[in-house]
Amino acid sequence: MKSIGEERRNEMADLYNKYHVHDNDSILKLTEPLDLYQRRTARGIVRDAVAFLEKHLRPDAECSGVSAAPAKKKGKRGTRQPLSTSRRNTGVPRSGLSDLASLHLGRGLAGSHDSERITHIGRMRDWLSGKALHLEKGMYNPITSFVWYVSLCVQAEWDKAGGRTGVCRLIRPAGEADYKPHDSDDNTRIDIGLCCVRPDGPTTAASAPMPYHKLVAVIEAKVRGADHEGAFPQLYGYIRQMYQTQHDLRYAWGLTICGHKVYVCHFGNDKAVSSRSMDVTTPEGRCAFIELLVSWSMCDDSQLGRDTTIEHLVDLDCWRIDCPDDEDRSSGIGTSYYYKTVICHADHLFGRHTRCFLATDVEPTAGSELEPKVVIKDAWAFAERLIGEDSRDEVKILRKIRDVLPVSLGAEDNVIYPEIVVGGRVWLTRGDVDIEDSTGTMYQGVEFADNSSPRFRVHRRIVLSQIGERLHSVGSVNELITVVCDVMRCHNAIFEHCQILHRDISDNNVLVVRQSDGTARGLLIDFDYALDMSIEKLRTPRPEMTGTLLFMSINNLRNWDIERTVLDDYESMLCLVCWVATAGIGGLPRRRSEELEKLPIADWRNGTIRTIVNAKSAHFGSFSAFKECVTDNFSGMGLANNASGSGSGSSGNLDIESLAKFAKGLRRHLFDNRSANSECRGTSYIEAAQDLIESDDEDQYNPKTINPFEKRAENNNVAVIAKDLHDFITKYWNFAMDWQKKDKQAQKDQVASTEN
């Protein structure tokens, strides 16, 4: 059985093979300071740093060809040409160290932190001179000394100008090397973390290793130069942790240093792009590495991947977040909200990086409690570049739901649906200019090979009026069934009255909303993948795969050219019910991951798409297979079967056996529906006799192959099956709501008897 660490290493290796782009120096343009004064200051710091380093690194040698500063050669839009360690013309005289030293002394920085810089040069001399290091730990001191050296050079510029300079921050090693950050969700140790400190702050090293949520970049070190193929997947794992712990991180930076070769890596939503190697045994390579660290010290916060529309208010111990309004761009940044609680983290390295916050529009005061009033969703969704042409815009879809459902539903329907307050595309302010936050602006100036540019995404933020908790907060089977049925009743209402199909039912997209009396209700959220069927059709030309593999329907997984319907979303809900019931939820015993992996349902998320499809097809194909492979393994089922008597289920309360009956009913109505055509049944192709064929030998029938998924997608069959499912869901919802009320009353009676 694989450990969690081994599974994650394999996952990162797969992502590396799928998403990595090598040898693209143009990503270094992303770190160039935007302000002209800052760019000039940065060039001066690089010249000084290179001059001082080369002078004290090998004072008896000539260093012809040293690249001390980038040339002012212009490329497209007036920007500098990409940094390249193989060809560089920097405009620095090639007459040796005397000229470099004069450049340094000419700027009047002699004596600024000189002794500290010389000490760090001594610590990295062997590494920069090409000496082979036999232990990975032996690389930590020279690498951290290099970072410290550049930091001191930047500090010298700050000191010289008395703080009146373009220096924004200092890049420093984050405490000790080779450590496990305390906010990590596994036992992996990082080699070196980098952090930002204020230039007017302490000059001493951090006394303790920093957690992931305070890092600006991570370095993975390897002894041999050829080890970068192993270093990058490890770096992927560290960056995943940064995304998960930093809710204001738009994109991330990392470094791999293999032997004497430094690679810079930029992590976006759909790609990781790395530069060519910077060989620190050469003056050109050292200059390139210095320039990178200086650029990180001078650039805008947004260029380091920070979301400048989110600000940590230290004195109030909370965060302020600006929420835009696409309906009224005249209001500028939009409405400011405040939050402390993050209920959904960006826990995947690539993708939408969805985060959710519980927030309020009331500005807190020192010492006051923050009482959430709304949920804010923050995500990077695929979109059209022009907002007017973006029919799949989640904000537009939610506004349609807000406008249509209140006049289409009555109070007796008792349906909870998402209600948008405000929402739109996020805009960043850089200087005096507002720019839309998208992959278009993220990669501006980066050159990709033909057809390899990342698909266009926009940074979108939405405020919803309902406050909810994650699905795993349900406290009983009664609550779980109520929430699940609520979600599908909401789904049905939205599809019937708004013609909007959700297409991404998963545990992350279901919220538990508590009413004033504590009753749990269910809310369907996250319409990023939803389609407005009144505008477009799904059969164009092949429906796209959407959703989470674990919860995707068989039709969706096979990616057949068959229209997606409400039945696919019902099947996704069936998968969700089966998974959470097996893993343990709502007061049921929780299973450990190792135990789950031994059950047949583990095949729903492991292996290739083909193996997942085969497992689901087999399990859903018959009542006996579903019972044996799925419902008999629901958490606590063995205890229920062995209990004396008939248990609570005999009195009508919804227990684990009732949950199993609920799942069996969903499967029966989906795959063995008796109201629809018989050709709709099952999960496998059906061989049926077609026309009688005349033959000289004997009469024979031409077999006809029928795909039940295609038959179920036909309009008349969809309507019949969907109605049966809706009636079934409504019946169970009424049961569960009644028993929730009885549970609440029983709890009150117990408290009253105790008090008496």
Side-chain angles (χ1 to χ4, degrees):
M1 186 65 61
K2 293 181 180 179
S3 65
I4 299 298
E6 185 180 0
E7 284 186 3
R8 186 160 290 170
R9 286 192 294 271
N10 292 339
E11 178 189 359
M12 295 302 112
D14 291 342
L15 292 175
Y16 168 65
N17 292 328
K18 184 176 182 180
Y19 294 110
H20 201 91
V21 178
H22 291 275
D23 301 331
N24 190 336
D25 281 348
S26 66
I27 61 160
L28 298 174
K29 294 179 181 179
L30 300 179
T31 67
E32 294 176 355
L34 302 172
D35 181 75
L36 177 61
Y37 170 71
Q38 288 178 307
R39 288 199 297 272
R40 289 174 176 171
T41 302
R43 283 197 289 267
I45 296 173
V46 172
R47 282 196 297 267
D48 296 328
V50 170
F52 193 90
L53 175 61
E54 299 300 329
K55 173 183 177 181
H56 292 90
L57 182 63
R58 44 195 182 113
D60 298 328
E62 289 290 318
C63 60
S64 62
V66 171
S67 176
K72 297 182 180 180
K73 182 178 178 181
K74 300 291 183 179
K76 295 180 180 179
R77 295 185 178 88
T79 59
R80 286 188 283 117
Q81 293 294 311
L83 292 173
S84 170
T85 58
S86 59
R87 47 180 169 80
R88 194 182 310 258
N89 176 17
T90 64
V92 176
R94 294 175 176 257
S95 55
L97 287 167
S98 59
D99 292 317
L100 289 170
S102 67
L103 279 173
H104 167 73
L105 296 173
R107 285 179 54 82
L109 299 185
S112 300
H113 303 284
D114 278 6
S115 61
E116 294 174 86
R117 289 191 282 182
I118 291 171
T119 298
H120 285 295
I121 290 173
R123 291 174 180 169
M124 58 184 172
R125 178 174 285 109
D126 287 346
W127 179 54
L128 298 183
S129 299
K131 181 178 179 180
L133 302 176
H134 302 291
L135 295 175
E136 189 174 295
K137 289 186 176 181
M139 298 182 64
Y140 299 157
N141 277 340
I143 293 173
T144 55
S145 284
F146 196 103
V147 176
W148 262 104
Y149 169 77
V150 177
S151 174
L152 291 169
C153 292
V154 177
Q155 181 81 61
E157 173 66 24
W158 171 275
D159 294 343
K160 179 183 76 76
R164 297 182 301 275
T165 179
V167 173
C168 299
R169 66 194 69 81
L170 303 177
I171 303 297
R172 295 268 175 84
E176 65 185 52
D178 186 26
Y179 72 97
K180 176 186 176 297
H182 69 74
D183 53 355
S184 172
D185 65 359
D186 59 30
N187 292 319
T188 305
R189 303 172 70 86
I190 66 175
D191 288 342
I192 300 170
L194 300 181
C195 64
C196 298
V197 299
R198 294 170 56 91
D200 57 351
T203 59
T204 56
S207 58
M210 286 194 175
Y212 275 115
H213 72 265
K214 290 187 177 181
L215 298 182
V216 67
V218 181
I219 299 175
E220 170 59 25
K222 296 289 184 185
V223 172
R224 297 188 305 116
D227 284 344
H228 62 277
E229 291 291 334
F232 277 122
Q234 286 184 255
L235 183 64
Y236 276 42
Y238 308 147
I239 301 301
R240 188 196 71 84
Q241 299 273 6
M242 288 178 60
Y243 274 122
Q244 182 170 307
T245 57
Q246 299 183 26
H247 40 93
D248 59 342
L249 190 63
R250 298 162 47 249
Y251 58 79
W253 291 96
L255 298 167
T256 62
I257 301 180
C258 303
H260 307 96
K261 296 180 179 179
V262 179
Y263 299 85
V264 187
C265 194
H266 174 278
F267 291 84
N269 298 88
D270 301 291
K271 289 182 184 293
V273 185
S274 61
S275 68
R276 284 182 283 185
S277 64
M278 305 172 183
D279 189 343
V280 295
T281 65
T282 67
E284 291 84 4
R286 293 191 286 271
C287 176
F289 194 10
I290 289 172
E291 184 172 8
L292 171 74
L293 295 173
V294 172
S295 293
W296 281 356
S297 303
M298 306 287 290
C299 67
D300 188 81
D301 283 341
S302 63
Q303 293 175 273
L304 290 178
R306 295 293 163 203
D307 187 340
T308 54
T309 65
I310 299 178
E311 180 185 3
H312 186 210
L313 306 178
V314 178
D315 294 340
L316 299 178
D317 188 29
C318 69
W319 296 75
R320 179 172 60 213
I321 182 170
D322 298 328
C323 296
D325 185 357
D326 281 347
E327 289 184 316
D328 183 15
R329 279 289 297 149
S330 63
S331 61
I333 61 174
T335 305
S336 291
Y337 288 83
Y338 305 86
Y339 70 90
K340 288 185 179 181
T341 305
V342 184
I343 60 172
C344 179
H345 297 267
D347 52 3
H348 291 83
L349 180 59
F350 297 110
R352 292 179 292 168
H353 295 154
T354 302
R355 301 171 173 98
C356 293
F357 316 110
L358 297 182
T360 177
D361 59 350
V362 179
E363 183 174 0
T365 58
S368 65
E369 290 294 325
L370 192 152
E371 297 183 5
K373 297 166 56 179
V374 297
V375 173
I376 299 176
K377 176 192 172 184
D378 183 275
W380 289 74
F382 291 128
E384 299 296 332
R385 291 182 180 270
L386 298 179
I387 190 171
E389 299 176 359
D390 193 3
S391 62
R392 300 189 180 190
D393 183 352
E394 184 180 12
V395 175
K396 292 181 180 178
I397 286 175
L398 289 172
R399 287 192 182 122
K400 182 175 183 180
I401 294 171
R402 177 195 64 189
D403 296 340
V404 172
L405 283 192
V407 297
S408 302
L409 298 176
E412 68 279 2
D413 293 305
N414 198 4
V415 173
I416 295 180
Y417 54 87
E419 299 179 41
I420 186 173
V421 178
V422 71
R425 298 185 176 190
V426 175
W427 289 68
L428 303 177
T429 300
R430 288 180 175 173
D432 297 329
V433 179
D434 288 344
I435 61 169
E436 183 181 82
D437 199 15
S438 68
T439 52
T441 53
M442 177 192 299
Y443 290 110
Q444 189 170 10
V446 178
E447 301 159 7
F448 290 99
D450 293 342
N451 301 320
S452 67
S453 297
R455 186 174 168 185
F456 185 76
R457 291 180 184 265
V458 293
H459 187 188
R460 188 180 290 137
R461 195 166 287 155
I462 298 171
V463 181
L464 298 173
S465 61
Q466 295 97 333
I467 294 290
E469 303 169 310
R470 300 294 294 272
L471 177 61
H472 288 74
S473 68
V474 296
S476 67
V477 172
N478 296 327
E479 290 189 352
L480 174 60
I481 293 180
T482 303
V483 168
V484 166
C485 293
D486 256 331
V487 165
M488 293 315 297
R489 292 171 69 248
C490 168
H491 179 282
N492 292 338
I494 290 173
F495 184 76
E496 178 182 352
H497 299 289
C498 305
Q499 292 79 54
I500 290 170
L501 187 61
H502 189 275
R503 304 198 308 159
D504 188 21
I505 304 293
S506 74
D507 56 345
N508 288 328
N509 295 338
V510 174
L511 287 184
V512 179
V513 178
R514 296 282 173 183
Q515 296 186 324
S516 58
D517 63 353
T519 301
R521 302 293 303 275
L523 175 66
L524 181 62
I525 61 169
D526 195 351
F527 286 74
D528 265 343
Y529 290 127
L531 288 183
D532 187 338
M533 301 301 294
S534 65
I535 298 177
E536 56 185 304
K537 294 188 69 66
L538 292 176
R539 201 182 180 102
T540 56
R542 175 185 289 262
E544 58 189 337
M545 291 179 63
T546 58
T548 306
L549 287 177
L550 175 60
F551 308 117
M552 285 169 63
S553 69
I554 297 171
N555 183 28
N556 195 0
L557 285 165
R558 289 192 182 277
N559 203 22
W560 277 321
D561 187 16
I562 297 175
E563 183 176 347
R564 304 286 187 266
T565 69
V566 292
L567 302 186
D568 290 281
D569 284 355
Y570 266 112
E571 186 179 337
S572 293
M573 180 55 75
L574 173 59
C575 292
L576 171 59
V577 170
C578 294
W579 179 258
V580 298
T582 305
I585 192 175
L588 302 176
R590 298 293 178 94
R591 278 196 168 102
R592 297 188 307 164
S593 297
E594 295 82 357
E595 185 182 356
L596 267 176
E597 292 303 314
K598 297 177 183 179
L599 299 177
I601 200 172
D603 292 335
W604 291 10
R605 66 172 182 176
N606 296 333
T608 64
I609 290 180
R610 179 182 292 274
T611 58
I612 295 173
V613 165
N614 290 340
K616 288 188 176 183
S617 297
H619 297 165
F620 292 149
S622 68
F623 172 82
S624 59
F626 186 67
K627 179 178 182 299
E628 178 182 352
C629 298
V630 182
T631 58
D632 280 356
N633 294 315
F634 279 6
S635 179
M637 180 61 78
L639 298 175
N641 291 336
N642 295 329
S644 60
S646 56
S648 58
S650 62
S651 62
N653 195 10
L654 300 178
D655 58 5
I656 185 60
E657 293 185 29
S658 299
L659 186 58
K661 291 178 182 178
F662 177 67
K664 291 172 185 175
L666 282 177
R667 191 213 70 84
R668 184 181 71 252
H669 285 294
L670 269 171
F671 299 109
D672 284 330
N673 193 290
R674 300 299 170 180
S675 301
N677 190 300
S678 61
E679 295 177 340
C680 298
R681 298 171 193 164
T683 59
S684 303
Y685 283 98
I686 303 169
E687 295 290 340
Q690 195 179 22
D691 297 326
L692 183 66
I693 300 177
E694 294 183 3
S695 171
D696 294 336
D697 298 327
E698 58 181 333
D699 291 341
Q700 56 181 301
Y701 285 92
N702 180 30
K704 175 185 177 183
T705 302
I706 298 172
N707 184 344
F709 292 92
E710 187 171 12
K711 288 296 181 180
R712 279 196 289 270
E714 294 177 356
N715 288 337
N716 56 330
N717 290 322
V718 169
V720 169
I721 298 173
K723 181 181 183 304
D724 283 356
L725 283 164
H726 180 262
D727 293 343
F728 176 80
I729 287 285
T730 302
K731 180 181 73 173
Y732 262 86
W733 178 79
N734 285 321
F735 286 157
M737 284 290 289
D738 287 344
W739 278 102
Q740 272 204 77
K741 294 176 182 177
K742 292 179 181 179
D743 285 345
K744 302 299 180 187
Q745 186 60 49
Q747 292 172 9
K748 290 180 180 178
D749 293 343
Q750 185 175 6
V751 171
S753 63
T754 302
E755 292 176 349
N756 294 332

